[in-house]
Each structure stands twice: as C-alpha cells, then as structure tokens.
Amino acid sequence: MSVRRFAGETQRWSAALSRVCFCLSLCVLVFAGLATSLPAAAAGKTGYTIAYLISSDFDGCYVPGVIRAIRQFAEAEAEEINARGGIAGQPISLIFLDDEDKAEKTVANVKTALAEPGLLAMIGVPSSTRGKAVFDALGKEIDAAGVPFITEISLNRMFYQHSNVFTLASAVDNELEVIKAFLAANHFDRPAFVGLEGDLYTGAIGDGLKELAAGRGLVADHRIKVVNYKLDESVAAPVVADLITKQPDVIFLGLGSGAGATFLKELDRAGSRAPIFIVLGRITRLLGRAGALAVGRPMYQLGWDGVPNAYNERLRQRIWQARDRNWVFDDVPAKLTSAEYQARNCRTREPQHLTVLADKNRRAIGRGAQYRDMLALLAQAGATAPKGAPLGAVKQHLVREVSSYTQRRRVLRGWWQDWSFTKARASAADTLIITKPTLDAPVVLASTQFARVGGELEPRPVVYISLDLISLARIDTNDKSFDAEFYLSFKSAAPDIDINSIEFTNAYRAQTGKDKLLRSHLIHAGSEETSFPKNVKVYRVSGKFTFEPELARYPFDTQRLSISFQPSSAARPFLIQPPVGASHSGQFASDGWKPGEAYVGSDQDIIPTIDSDATGRRIVPFYKFNYTWVVKRSANDYYLRVVVPLGFILLVTYFSVFLSHTRFESLMGIQVTALLSAIALYLALPKVDSDQATLSDKIFMITYALVSLMIGLAVFKDLRWVHSHARLRKSVSFVQIFVFPAVAIGVIGYLLYDGPVNEVIDALMSHVRTITG
C-alpha cells in the first residue's frame, strides 16, 4: 500500500471514528437526561414531601438572609438524603411556605402542607402567637395527619396534647425556671414586666413571673400595644412614669428590638437605673437602635446564640472544610412586580456587604443550621423504617423514633448542637444567660449559669479566660504537633478554681510515659499587693500540642492550630467565657509560617455512661473550648527548590522539539534526561506523611506526564510513514509547539489556582486599591 493511499485510508477511518464518537456522546447525553428526569418524575409520584413553614419580613419586600440560609442548607441536606436512598426507600422533596409574619397566612400554609398527598413531615412556624392560630384552626387536622411536626414554638403547653408535635426551641417553662433561679441568685425581689400586648411568648414570661415566691412577685405588669414594630412615645410615657414610682430592682422587657429601644430611651430620660432583662430582642440590636444613653445599667438576655465571643466550632469546621460553599447570606430584594413593589411601600436598602463572621451572618448560618438539623433528625429517625411501608406506617415510625431522642438518653450530633428533647418535647439544650454590665462593657456570660441535672437546676460557675499567645514554633505536620507559649489569665466567682481545674485536651503526651509535655508558672495569684488586677490569676504556660494537618494542598497549605481545654473534672463542670478580641490578642511569629485569622470556638462533648441502676444508657454533655490560629505555610523555599527547577525542565523539554529531525538521538537524550531529572528531584525532596496525594505530588505527576507526552510525540513524529506525510507531521509539530505549552500552563495553573495564583492576585488587587485610595 502506498503512503498516499495509507494516508487517505487514515483520514477516512479518522472521519468515521469521529462520527461514531459523536453519536455515542449524543446517546450518553440522551440517556443521562432520561436517567435524571425519570427519578424526578418518579419522585413526584411516589416520593415524600417535607414542608418548611418559614417567616420573612412582614412587608415581603426583602428575603432575609435567615430564610436564604434555611433554604440552602435544607436543600443541600435533602440532596444528600436522596443520594443515600431517601427515607424508607423513597426520595424526598421540599416545599417552602412563607407566611410573611401573618397569622392568617401561617394557617393557610399549614393547610396547604397538610393537603400534600405525600406529606411526611412539617418543620417551622417560628412564633408562639402564630402557632396558636395554627393549632386553634387546624389542631384536629394535624393530629389526624399524624406527621411529625417540628416547630420553633417556645410555648410548649400549646401543643403538648398533640403527641406528634415537637419544638427545636427551648420550652418557656424551662426558661422561666432558669429566670427564677437567676432572680434568686442575684437577690432581685422587686421585678417589673413590660411586654407586648397579645404576644403569647412574652405574655407567658410575664405570667410566670407572677408566680414567684411570696414577697418577690411583680411590682408592675404592663402589656403594651405595638404596631409594625414601632412604639408610640405617648404610650410609653405613662408606663415609664409608673416604673419610676414603683422602683423595681429589675425590669423584664419584651417589646422587641425596635419598640424596646424606644422604651429604653424613655427610661433613660426619666433617670431609671434599674437593670434590664430582655426577653424579646437582643441587647446589641436594642442598644444600637437606642443610640447614646445617659444612664448605664446592667442588661441581661437569654443566650440563644451560645457563648458570646466564641464561635460555634462545628460550623467553623464546616466553613473551613467546605470553603467553596456560599456562606454569606445578605438580605436580597424579593421578586416583585412594579405594582407589588409600590403596593407594599417597599424602599431600597443599602447593600450590607456582610462577611462570613459578621454577627448578622452568623445568626443566619445558625438558624439555617438548626433547620437543617431537623431534616437530618428525620432522616436518621427514618433510617430504620421498613422500605416499601405505607406512608401512614412511616409517619408513625418517625414520630416514635423522634420521641426516643430524650434528654440524656439519645442525641443527634447536628451542625448546630446535640439535639434531644425534654418530656415536654422541647429542645433539651441548656438555657444560658448573657449580660452587658455597663454601656462600655462587652456582652458576656453572666457569672453563674444553671444546668438541668436529673430534672433539677444546678448552678455552674463561669470562668473568664484570656489566652494571649507569645509564640508558635516547630509546627511539624509529620509529627502532627506544634509548640506554643502563652499567658493564661482567668477570673471566676469560685476562688478555688485554678490552672489545675483546666485540662488541655490536645496537649502532647510523652512517648515514654503518660505525662503531658506541658509546663506552667504562676505569675500572679490574684492578690491586691501587685499592679495586676485583683482576683485575676495569671500563668505563663508552654508546651507541645497536637493537631490534625490537612495536606491536600501541600506546600501551599493552610493549617488550623488549636489549644483546646475543658474542666478537668466532669463532677465539677464550669463554662468558659473568652473576652472580646481574645482571638486577636498577642503577636507571634513562626519560622516558615504566616499567621492568618484567629478565633475562639466552643463545642460540646458527649460522655456515654450507664444509669445509676445499671439498666439503661445515659449520656452526659460536657462543654469544651478552643483557641484557634490559622497559619499558612511559606512556600518561598518550595519555589526555589521545586517550581523553578521544574519550570526549567519543562522549558528545556519544549526547546528540544526545535531540533532537526536528523538530531533525533540528541532530542531523545534531552527529553529522557529531563524526565529522569524530574524523578530525581521528587525523590530528593523531604516527604510529608499523608495518606492522600498532595498538591506537590500532583505537580510532579503532571510534569512526568507532560515530558512523557513530548517523548511519545517525538517518537511518533519520527516514524517513517508519519515523517513522509507532511500534513500529519505538521499536526504533531503544532501539538508540540503550541498545544503542549498551553496544556502545561493550563493544567498547572488549575492546580495552583487556589494557592499561589490567588495570593498573587490578592497582592496585586491590594496594591491597586492602595494606589487608588
């Protein structure tokens, strides 16, 4: 066969092969579309539906970040549940019904959900007042449906007779017990209450305060009408005058942040100095709206967001591990027509530009995580449901299983917390009390907290701790350890708590013994004779600590170094309160590493044990805390030892293709030497102890592949029949000269995209912003 005839056959076979590949690709796409559409259609016929009953702003002009977080987290969890096989072998779908803060619409939404033929569960209704409207109108229908209904209603008496209803909020009865214990511990004997007229939650708090022991009841009880979150000053004035006359020693304020700020300003003008306990709203938002105040007073609030100044460690871990997820939830305009926009009297808001760690964004993430956890709870409860069972049997199984998550017996390890329920089917989480002692002071935990043990409340002291880092050194990812030196300061109402009361849970243990490699030196014992603050104990601590390195992006990796601690005795637990700015305290430097962000995290351990009668299982929650610093490896040495040599190896390989065909032996010698040089360079590098391929490994593998590709192309090009075919030879040359560098730059750039490339871009953008002001 002649060369020309062979080339023609080659072209014909190539064209035919291209057509076959195109047809196969088209068939794959068609079948893939059918594969994705058929399950979706099946899900609509045989799948289950879970209804989310949510509440956005009353005017409906904007979609709050909280709602966006709930939707995003719930939808992502539903996808994971379906990927695992759904619930009882059936896929689930979610519907979101927004009541826009209107009770009549809440009732309509619940009615719509109950009409769904495959309804498996309902989650939501974040209001006791709107919840009452639902149960008054549809209580019998909710019972008849038999679906697990996980609400956010605090007034547990409202739904207690409905055995299929739960709440992810703490019960108002539990909160009242904690409030009463707080009043007794602080010797408040003359409380007053100011709440919203017609609001069931704040009304229950006010009614509960009437039941205080003799001589400690309410000296004043006012229920004020508030319209559209605004309080008229003429309505507030007589209430303030009455409080000034009766002189309460603490005022419980349940008007919300907007109306509460107006009322607080009126109190301030009247000269009242009574402490304020907020039962609806938040201290920071209320003071922010109130503006400058003349009178400083202690302020208290239930701690719905956990320990102040400490991040939820579980969420921080997820943000760290899934940085590609959108974690910022701004309020965004609702999709309205022009007529709807005008009818609702909507106004354009200034862009928020929230960061992940902004307080408002953290609250949105927290609420989204809580609602996501409820879906995960249903999925875990349904894991033991028989596949193919009738819908009614699956609903009964879910209600029975969710009911088994009782306090101290069984928990769901959720994103937000460990979830279980009390006998009243409300969240069993401890109710915290936070305080702002003065106008200039930060919000912190009150000095004494109360935890429920065996059905009774027990006091828990709070230890105010500050860990100020001196240095981080010898960060070793192979040994999974680092050295740290820091000052540890703490103060507590319990004077006998010292450094021996704290256990550093990740302190490194010596290989030859059980002792931890940790040393401490007392600098100040809390006396008044020195310049140190009174009752503040100060230690200088140094030691070796462990961490879990993540080496997928080595040597452009970022590591989290934590110092974790908790009470040393489970028999005498306490809570730890870090100060504001504690995560940024202390200046440190570490050879080969660049410091980044820092924060204080809190979490909860579960200690499993048995009942006192040894007949059942019992679990004991145990708070733990951590100071965490994020450090990034300095890659200058890697650039000089690896990136630059590999660049020259690839460059020499590329230049070799310009040699004449008659110099084939020289070309092969250059390219094979380049491949061997890359292999030798890899073997000469210090290795990191990792079970997965690191970014450095991938860079070398790509280099081997690129050089081997050039060797293969050179051999192919030198074949006699290829060399005699001008078009084919030019095609190979085109690949060598133009495609090879494009592929090399593209692949290596893609690998480095989230590493040094981003650093260079960030540095350039920062420089531009500096120049442009």
Side-chain angles (χ1 to χ4, degrees):
M1 181 183 293
S2 66
V3 173
R4 180 171 298 179
R5 182 180 177 186
F6 179 79
E9 291 293 331
T10 301
Q11 289 179 348
R12 284 193 292 273
W13 276 104
S14 299
L17 185 60
S18 299
R19 295 189 188 97
V20 171
C21 290
F22 175 77
C23 293
L24 288 175
S25 301
L26 186 61
C27 291
V28 169
L29 290 174
V30 171
F31 281 113
L34 290 174
T36 55
S37 61
L38 287 176
K45 294 180 180 179
T46 61
Y48 297 139
T49 299
I50 296 177
Y52 271 81
L53 305 163
I54 54 180
S55 297
S56 62
D57 292 343
F58 71 95
D59 59 6
C61 296
Y62 276 75
V63 179
V66 169
I67 301 301
R68 296 180 56 226
I70 290 173
R71 292 189 64 120
Q72 176 175 307
F73 292 160
E75 289 170 348
E77 181 64 21
E79 289 181 5
E80 293 185 12
I81 292 171
N82 287 335
R84 297 194 300 265
I87 296 178
Q90 294 289 340
I92 63 171
S93 59
L94 307 181
I95 58 173
F96 294 88
L97 304 171
D98 191 346
D99 62 19
E100 295 182 354
D101 209 12
K102 299 180 179 67
E104 63 276 8
K105 198 166 183 180
T106 309
V107 175
N109 287 346
V110 174
K111 194 171 183 178
T112 299
L114 292 173
E116 285 286 326
L119 182 68
L120 185 65
M122 296 187 294
I123 302 173
V125 185
S127 165
S128 294
T129 302
R130 294 194 294 278
K132 183 178 186 303
V134 168
F135 289 108
D136 286 348
L138 302 171
K140 292 181 180 179
E141 289 84 349
I142 292 172
D143 283 340
V147 296
F149 186 7
I150 304 177
T151 71
E152 201 181 349
I153 299 170
S154 297
L155 206 59
N156 55 293
R157 304 173 209 169
M158 179 188 304
F159 60 79
Y160 186 71
Q161 68 271 25
H162 304 282
S163 60
N164 58 323
V165 181
F166 307 82
T167 179
L168 61 87
S170 60
V172 69
D173 292 344
N174 293 341
E175 294 176 351
L176 273 169
E177 286 188 57
V178 172
I179 289 173
K180 291 175 181 179
F182 163 81
L183 291 175
N186 290 274
H187 307 290
F188 289 127
D189 298 323
R190 295 175 53 79
F193 177 79
V194 180
L196 287 172
E197 180 184 44
D199 183 74
L200 295 182
Y201 171 71
T202 56
I205 295 290
D207 294 342
L209 292 173
K210 293 179 181 179
E211 303 170 3
L212 294 172
R216 296 178 53 241
L218 292 175
V219 299
D221 184 0
H222 296 278
R223 315 295 168 101
I224 300 178
K225 185 177 182 179
V226 173
V227 180
N228 290 339
Y229 306 103
K230 295 180 180 180
L231 175 64
D232 193 289
E233 293 182 2
S234 62
V235 176
V239 178
V240 171
D242 183 62
L243 294 177
I244 294 297
T245 301
K246 294 179 177 176
Q247 293 295 310
D249 53 8
V250 61
I251 300 172
F252 286 85
L253 187 59
L255 299 178
S257 299
T262 303
F263 189 83
L264 184 59
K265 286 191 289 187
E266 291 297 315
L267 276 177
D268 189 67
R269 292 193 190 101
S272 170
R273 296 182 177 274
I276 301 292
F277 196 117
I278 299 173
V279 294
L280 185 64
R282 299 176 187 276
I283 292 175
T284 52
R285 293 182 67 183
L286 190 145
L287 290 178
R289 296 186 179 188
L293 297 174
V295 177
R297 72 184 79 231
M299 301 189 72
Y300 302 92
Q301 171 198 312
L302 297 180
W304 298 290
D305 296 327
V307 179
N309 311 325
Y311 297 97
N312 185 305
E313 182 62 21
R314 298 187 190 183
L315 290 179
R316 284 303 300 255
Q317 289 275 10
R318 293 201 169 270
I319 293 172
W320 170 263
Q321 294 167 0
R323 281 171 283 186
D324 56 336
R325 185 195 296 266
N326 175 29
W327 291 100
V328 177
F329 299 97
D330 298 294
D331 297 348
V332 297
K335 295 180 180 179
L336 303 173
T337 64
S338 300
E340 289 174 329
Y341 190 86
Q342 294 177 357
R344 298 188 183 194
N345 196 26
C346 296
R347 289 179 171 82
T348 303
R349 302 179 187 175
E350 291 293 329
Q352 295 175 300
H353 303 300
L354 293 179
T355 62
V356 174
L357 302 181
D359 289 342
K360 183 175 181 179
N361 194 67
R362 287 169 57 194
R363 284 194 293 271
I365 292 175
R367 287 289 298 285
Q370 292 171 33
Y371 273 71
R372 172 266 167 201
D373 286 349
M374 295 303 99
L375 185 57
L377 175 65
L378 293 171
Q380 185 167 300
T384 54
K387 294 184 178 180
L391 176 59
V394 177
K395 291 189 290 188
Q396 292 176 3
H397 178 86
L398 286 182
V399 172
R400 185 170 57 252
E401 283 294 301
V402 172
S403 299
S404 69
Y405 286 82
T406 56
Q407 188 178 19
R408 312 295 189 184
R409 300 287 181 180
R410 187 181 180 189
V411 298
L412 169 77
R413 300 283 284 176
W415 281 17
W416 178 253
Q417 66 183 39
D418 298 318
W419 292 97
S420 60
F421 299 100
T422 63
K423 293 180 180 179
R425 299 193 300 279
S427 173
D430 288 335
T431 300
L432 302 178
I433 296 178
I434 64 177
T435 180
K436 185 177 176 66
T438 64
L439 288 177
D440 297 330
V443 174
V444 294
L445 287 175
S447 59
T448 302
Q449 301 294 316
F450 303 92
R452 193 173 302 279
V453 178
E456 300 293 332
L457 290 179
E458 289 186 359
R460 292 281 188 269
V462 173
V463 180
Y464 301 91
I465 282 186
S466 176
L467 191 153
D468 297 281
L469 191 63
I470 300 173
S471 66
L472 289 175
R474 288 182 284 278
I475 302 172
D476 190 339
T477 54
N478 286 336
D479 191 41
K480 300 181 179 180
S481 66
F482 66 95
D483 290 355
E485 188 174 9
F486 53 89
Y487 292 110
L488 184 67
S489 308
F490 58 88
K491 177 183 179 181
S492 172
D496 57 335
I497 293 181
D498 57 18
I499 197 169
N500 296 319
S501 305
I502 296 175
E503 178 187 8
F504 293 91
T505 55
N506 68 325
Y508 198 94
R509 294 184 181 274
Q511 296 180 354
T512 57
K514 299 181 179 179
D515 295 334
K516 294 183 177 180
L517 301 182
L518 195 67
R519 297 176 300 278
S520 63
H521 171 66
L522 177 64
I523 296 177
H524 177 58
S527 60
E528 299 183 66
E529 293 78 16
T530 66
S531 58
F532 286 92
K534 180 183 176 182
N535 298 326
V536 176
K537 298 177 182 178
V538 183
Y539 294 84
R540 182 167 182 145
V541 183
S542 60
K544 192 173 187 178
F545 299 87
T546 62
F547 76 106
E548 289 297 326
E550 297 181 11
L551 297 170
R553 295 203 59 79
Y554 170 84
F556 308 108
D557 53 319
T558 302
Q559 303 296 340
R560 298 171 62 257
L561 308 178
S562 293
I563 296 177
S564 304
F565 45 87
Q566 64 186 22
S568 58
S569 173
R572 194 187 179 195
F574 52 82
L575 275 75
I576 292 173
Q577 172 65 70
V580 173
S583 59
H584 303 288
S585 62
Q587 299 294 326
F588 68 91
S590 181
D591 292 342
W593 297 85
K594 302 174 183 177
E597 64 173 327
Y599 68 92
V600 182
S602 65
D603 200 357
Q604 186 173 262
D605 266 342
I606 292 295
I607 302 176
T609 182
I610 57 175
D611 275 331
S612 55
D613 58 4
T615 59
R617 185 171 179 267
R618 186 179 177 87
I619 54 176
V620 180
F622 203 48
Y623 285 103
K624 62 179 182 180
F625 299 83
N626 58 274
Y627 274 68
T628 299
W629 298 269
V630 177
V631 294
K632 185 174 182 62
R633 193 189 302 266
S634 177
N636 294 335
D637 185 59
Y638 188 84
Y639 280 118
L640 295 176
R641 297 179 59 184
V642 176
V643 176
V644 172
L646 285 182
F648 280 112
I649 288 173
L650 290 174
L651 198 61
V652 169
T653 303
Y654 177 70
F655 286 154
S656 66
V657 303
F658 294 100
L659 289 173
S660 170
H661 170 69
T662 59
R663 305 284 301 275
F664 178 76
E665 291 79 5
S666 300
L667 184 149
M668 282 292 100
I670 293 172
Q671 294 185 353
V672 170
T673 302
L675 179 62
L676 295 177
S677 300
I679 295 174
L681 179 61
Y682 178 75
L683 296 176
L685 288 177
K687 299 298 181 291
V688 293
D689 187 7
S690 176
D691 295 332
Q692 58 183 333
T694 66
L695 183 58
S696 177
D697 296 332
K698 294 176 183 178
I699 291 173
F700 274 97
M701 294 304 108
I702 291 298
T703 302
Y704 300 159
L706 290 172
V707 176
S708 299
L709 174 65
M710 291 294 275
I711 293 174
L713 289 173
V715 172
F716 180 73
K717 182 180 177 181
D718 195 61
L719 293 175
R720 181 177 300 175
W721 62 271
V722 174
H723 185 71
S724 60
H725 190 274
R727 183 178 297 178
L728 189 58
R729 188 177 67 254
K730 290 180 179 178
S731 298
V732 175
S733 298
F734 178 82
V735 171
Q736 289 177 313
I737 297 173
F738 298 103
V739 177
F740 172 81
V743 170
I745 294 173
V747 173
I748 295 178
Y750 174 77
L751 289 176
L752 300 180
Y753 176 73
D754 196 29
V757 173
N758 275 353
E759 289 184 8
V760 172
I761 293 174
D762 290 343
L764 289 175
M765 292 302 297
S766 177
H767 186 61
V768 170
R769 284 193 295 267
T770 301
I771 294 175
T772 58

